[in-house]
């Protein structure tokens, strides 16, 4: 089959479905998408609340819990221990399929009835002291973390797949230790305020460096030591330079960050960060092959339009349109579908096979339209069927989804093969990562039929210590700061310093932050390239790079054309590495 151009139902822009795409859709027996890749990604992320947490009570044991669901969401929530217990039966909510109503209408009704896990982690089960984490597994002593596993003593971090002793880090996919404000750093030790580094030690404000130690404010170094702004100094000179920056103070770090950002603009950026991979497009890809339009993907094969996907032990194969998943195969349009096969249109449904349109279903085979079902086979809308009954009813439901599609507020039709409408998400658009990907004003979101959460839990005006009164140097901070309430200099939100956090700052010589966790997280996301590609030409004009005038090489990159960075092709970039 030849490539075809289609018009997206949502944004009305043209997008292309390639021959390999058609082969995948035929293999898993779903129709081609009617949304473009960007709109499909936005739609998935609108079903995930990453960082907005609320105080609630478990509706079963009445214990106070932290929840990703706002009190006005209308959902029943159970604490983790109650949700996994035998005190309730998900199948007791089972209903007959109603051929007089659209599938998505019925699914929304079931979702509103079945109790939801207050926050998704395994605290007290396979993790210890990780109550304040979401999508977090097999870990110990972690606090305010999102999406990760096999970590220890980590705080305020996102998508951490291995390591320990980290604060304010994003996308750490290999063993690292003692990191602060780092992004995409692997096998590093005692590194701060740095991005895209491999096997570096005792360094700060470094970018795209490998096998370096004791380097400061440098770019593209390989196997270097005692470098400042890419220039070698003696050990004594280097230490004097570091001392003069006063990096134990908040003002010193803020000034160094601004100087570092300007310094980096003088050096070219690699058009993409793809390593140990073959025939891949996207950004932040490693150990992959034959994968296109993928972002933050590790250990994948024949995957497309995936983001935040990877597993350290098992390859993700033959999958499209996945978000925060790993170690699965032949799966499509879902979020957190780990270790599954033929898992289609699922949300937090893991270790399952041949399931469709499920949420929080685990160890399930052959199911459609289920919520909260565990260790079961042949279920439809939480109701148990025999194998023969299931196989007879399933094609009728799919046919009904096509004959009676759901139509949302914008007039978009949802037939079989579409992910859930954003307007059915249990979260306000303002609570989700979709707001970061595709920012909308409140009025526009409501006009589209999306929910909007105005009452995101936060406290303001309760500070007992003003930002100007916080000691500049971490060396002057006393233990009594643990009793103080601070106020964010950006949003005004109140926050506190916890004991493990203070101990980390003291060991790493880091000043007390003046911004809350939410603003620090937003700042790191703003430094991260978007999950989107543009076709561009190499910006190199150096004749010493074997070309006259401007380099003719073209590529797909996540650096937008209006960004200030110099973006080079691989060949020109390699000539600039030190």
């Amino acid at each position: 089959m030849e490539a075809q151009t289609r018009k997206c139902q949502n944004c009305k822009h043209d997008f292309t479905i390639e021959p390999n795409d058609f082969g995948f859709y035929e293999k898993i027996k779903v129709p081609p998408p009617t949304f473009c890749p960007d709109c499909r990604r936005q739609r998935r992320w609108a079903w995930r609340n990453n960082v907005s947490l609320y105080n609630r009570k478990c509706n079963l044991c009445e214990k106070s819990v932290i929840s990703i669901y706002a009190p006005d969401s209308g959902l029943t929530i159970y604490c983790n221990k109650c949700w996994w217990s035998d005190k309730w039966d998900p199948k007791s909510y089972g209903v007959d399929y109603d051929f007089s109503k659209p599938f998505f209408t019925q699914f929304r009704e079931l979702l509103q009835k079945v109790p939801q896990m207050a926050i998704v982690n395994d605290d007290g089960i396979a993790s210890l002291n990780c109550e304040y984490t979401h999508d977090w597994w097999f870990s110990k002593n972690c606090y305010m973390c999102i999406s990760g596993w096999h970590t220890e003593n980590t705080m305020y971090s996102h998508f951490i797949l291995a390591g320990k002793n980290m604060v304010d880090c994003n996308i750490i996919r290999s063993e690292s230790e003692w990191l602060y404000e780092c992004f995409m750093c692997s096998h590093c030790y005692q590194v701060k305020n740095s991005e895209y580094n491999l096997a570096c030690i005792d360094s700060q404000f470094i970018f795209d460096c490998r096998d370096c130690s004791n380097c400061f404010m440098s770019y593209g170094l390989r196997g270097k030591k005692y470098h400042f702004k890419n220039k070698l100094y003696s050990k004594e000179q280097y230490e004097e330079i570091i001392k003069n920056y006063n990096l134990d103070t908040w003002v010193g770090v803020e000034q160094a960050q601004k100087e570092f950002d300007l310094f980096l603009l003088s050096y070219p950026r690699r058009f993409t960060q793809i390593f140990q991979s073959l025939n891949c497009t996207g950004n932040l890809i490693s150990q992959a092959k034959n994968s296109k339009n993928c972002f933050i993907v590790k250990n994948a094969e024949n995957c497309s339009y995936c983001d935040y996907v990877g597993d350290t032990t098992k390859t993700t194969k033959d999958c499209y349109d996945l978000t925060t998943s790993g170690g699965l195969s032949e799966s499509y349009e879902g979020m957190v579908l780990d270790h599954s096969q033929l898992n289609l249109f699922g949300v937090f449904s893991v270790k399952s096979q041949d399931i469709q349109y499920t949420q929080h279903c685990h160890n399930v085979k052959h199911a459609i339209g289920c919520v909260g079902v565990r260790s079961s086979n042949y279920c439809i809308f939480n109701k148990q069927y025999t194998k023969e009954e299931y196989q007879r009813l399933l094609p009728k439901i799919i046919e009904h989804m096509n004959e009676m599609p759901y139509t949302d507020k914008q007039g978009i039709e949802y037939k079989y093969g579409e992910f859930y409408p954003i307007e059915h998400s249990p979260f306000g658009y303002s609570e989700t990562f979709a707001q970061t990907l595709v920012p909308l004003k409140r009025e526009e979101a409501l006009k589209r039929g999306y929910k909007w959460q105005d009452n995101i839990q936060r406290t303001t005006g309760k500070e007992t210590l003003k930002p100007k009164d916080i000691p500049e140097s971490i060396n002057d901070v006393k233990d009594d700061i643990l009793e103080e309430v601070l106020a964010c200099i950006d949003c005004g939100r109140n926050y506190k310093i916890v004991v493990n956090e203070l101990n980390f700052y003291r060991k790493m010589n880091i000043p007390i932050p003046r911004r809350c966790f939410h603003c620090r997280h937003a700042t790191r996301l703003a430094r991260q390239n978007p999950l989107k590609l543009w076709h561009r030409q190499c910006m190199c004009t150096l004749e010493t790079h074997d070309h006259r005038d401007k380099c003719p090489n073209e590529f797909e990159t996540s650096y937008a054309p209006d960004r200030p960075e110099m973006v080079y092709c691989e060949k020109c970039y390699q000539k600039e590495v030190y």
Side-chain angles (χ1 to χ4, degrees), residues 108-127:
R108 177 183 58 188
E109 293 171 352
L110 181 65
L111 185 64
Q112 288 292 123
K113 294 177 182 177
V114 180
Q116 300 291 313
M117 200 183 304
I119 194 167
V120 184
N121 63 43
D122 59 357
D123 182 59
I125 302 169
S127 291

Side-chain angles (χ1 to χ4, degrees), residues 153-218:
N153 306 323
T154 297
M155 292 175 281
Y156 311 116
S157 297
H158 177 221
F159 203 66
I160 312 296
L161 299 188
K164 60 178 66 175
N165 300 313
M166 292 177 274
V167 172
D168 285 323
C169 292
N170 280 23
I171 313 178
I172 309 298
R173 302 188 296 187
S174 299
E175 288 286 348
S176 293
E177 191 169 354
W178 297 108
L179 302 186
Y180 177 70
E181 282 287 2
C182 286
F183 170 78
M184 196 60 191
C185 292
S186 298
H187 301 291
C188 290
Y189 180 79
Q190 290 196 168
V191 175
K192 298 180 281 188
N193 308 95
S194 299
E195 304 171 34
Y196 302 108
N197 300 297
L198 174 65
C200 292
I201 300 173
D202 294 327
S203 298
Q204 189 166 1
F205 292 109
I206 58 173
F207 186 98
D208 194 14
C209 295
R210 300 184 187 180
D211 301 303
C212 296
S213 64
N214 299 101
C215 291
F216 176 59
M217 205 168 293
S218 292

Side-chain angles (χ1 to χ4, degrees), residues 286-300:
S286 62
Q287 300 171 9
K289 65 179 181 180
N290 303 327
S291 296
K292 67 176 184 179
N293 208 307
C294 288
F295 301 87
I296 314 167
V297 167
K298 179 178 182 177
N299 199 9

Side-chain angles (χ1 to χ4, degrees), residues 47 54 104 118 172 185 217 219 295 379 391 398 418 424 478 487 570:
W47 279 76
Y54 303 89
F104 289 104
I172 309 298
C185 292
M217 205 168 293
Y219 158 91
F295 301 87
C379 294
Q391 292 177 337
I398 294 174
E418 299 291 349
H424 286 179
K478 307 300 182 184
E570 184 69 17

Side-chain angles (χ1 to χ4, degrees), residues 20-128:
N20 288 344
D21 299 342
F22 283 113
F24 172 80
Y25 302 135
E26 183 177 352
K27 179 181 180 181
I28 65 170
K29 296 180 174 58
V30 299
T34 65
F35 279 45
C36 70
D38 289 338
C39 289
R40 298 199 300 268
R41 181 172 281 120
Q42 174 198 11
R43 185 171 56 179
R44 289 195 304 278
W45 279 106
W47 279 76
R48 180 178 175 118
N49 171 6
N50 264 354
V51 296
S52 298
L53 302 181
Y54 303 89
N55 292 313
R56 293 189 60 178
K57 284 191 174 182
C58 169
N59 291 115
L60 188 58
C61 71
E62 297 189 348
K63 171 187 173 183
S64 294
V65 295
I66 301 299
S67 178
I68 56 174
Y69 300 104
D72 60 1
S73 66
L75 294 173
T76 298
I77 61 124
Y78 287 175
C79 68
N80 289 5
K81 290 184 179 179
C82 284
W83 195 90
W84 285 106
S85 72
D86 295 329
K87 297 178 182 178
W88 70 289
D89 181 8
K91 292 181 184 177
S92 67
Y93 296 88
V95 294
D96 292 326
Y97 189 79
D98 187 348
F99 286 91
S100 69
K101 295 192 294 187
F103 173 93
F104 289 104
T105 299
Q106 298 179 63
F107 189 84
R108 177 183 58 188
E109 293 171 352
L110 181 65
L111 185 64
Q112 288 292 123
K113 294 177 182 177
V114 180
Q116 300 291 313
M117 200 183 304
I119 194 167
V120 184
N121 63 43
D122 59 357
D123 182 59
I125 302 169
S127 291
L128 176 65

Side-chain angles (χ1 to χ4, degrees), residues 437-578:
L437 292 176
V438 185
L440 297 177
K441 293 184 178 180
R442 182 180 187 277
E443 296 73 19
E444 177 62 23
L446 295 175
K447 181 180 178 181
R448 296 186 186 190
Y450 306 163
K451 298 183 184 71
W452 189 270
Q453 182 54 256
D454 290 308
N455 301 314
I456 295 177
Q457 183 170 303
R458 56 185 293 172
T459 303
T460 59
K462 303 294 184 181
E463 58 270 17
T464 60
L465 186 64
K466 302 290 184 181
K468 64 181 179 62
D469 296 325
I470 300 174
E472 271 292 326
S473 172
I474 185 63
N475 298 318
D476 297 327
V477 173
K478 307 300 182 184
D479 287 351
D480 58 8
I481 198 169
L482 299 174
E483 307 302 322
E484 304 285 2
V485 178
L486 311 183
C488 176
I489 61 172
D490 288 345
C491 71
R493 184 194 298 259
N494 291 139
Y495 65 102
K496 295 196 70 173
I497 303 298
V498 298
V499 62
N500 288 344
E501 181 182 3
L502 179 59
N503 292 338
F504 179 91
Y505 294 149
R506 284 172 170 167
K507 175 179 173 54
M508 295 286 284
N509 202 34
I510 295 166
I512 297 297
R514 269 56 168 183
R515 294 178 178 87
C516 68
F517 152 70
H518 297 271
C519 288
R520 301 196 306 265
H521 180 67
T523 299
R524 290 194 301 278
L525 288 178
R527 296 180 68 86
Q528 181 180 321
N529 285 18
L531 309 181
K532 187 178 178 67
L533 293 176
W534 288 267
H535 188 83
R536 294 185 61 179
Q537 182 179 343
C538 179
M539 297 174 68
C540 179
T541 57
L542 300 174
E543 292 185 3
T544 55
H545 287 188
D546 302 325
H547 55 76
R548 292 184 178 179
D549 299 322
K550 193 172 184 179
C551 174
N553 290 337
E554 297 181 0
F555 43 69
E556 300 290 318
T557 180
S558 56
Y559 287 98
D562 58 353
R563 299 238 329 218
E565 298 93 344
M566 293 184 292
V567 184
Y568 279 17
C569 68
E570 184 69 17
K571 185 177 180 181
C572 293
Y573 162 82
Q574 289 295 342
K575 292 180 180 293
E576 292 294 307
V577 174
Y578 289 79

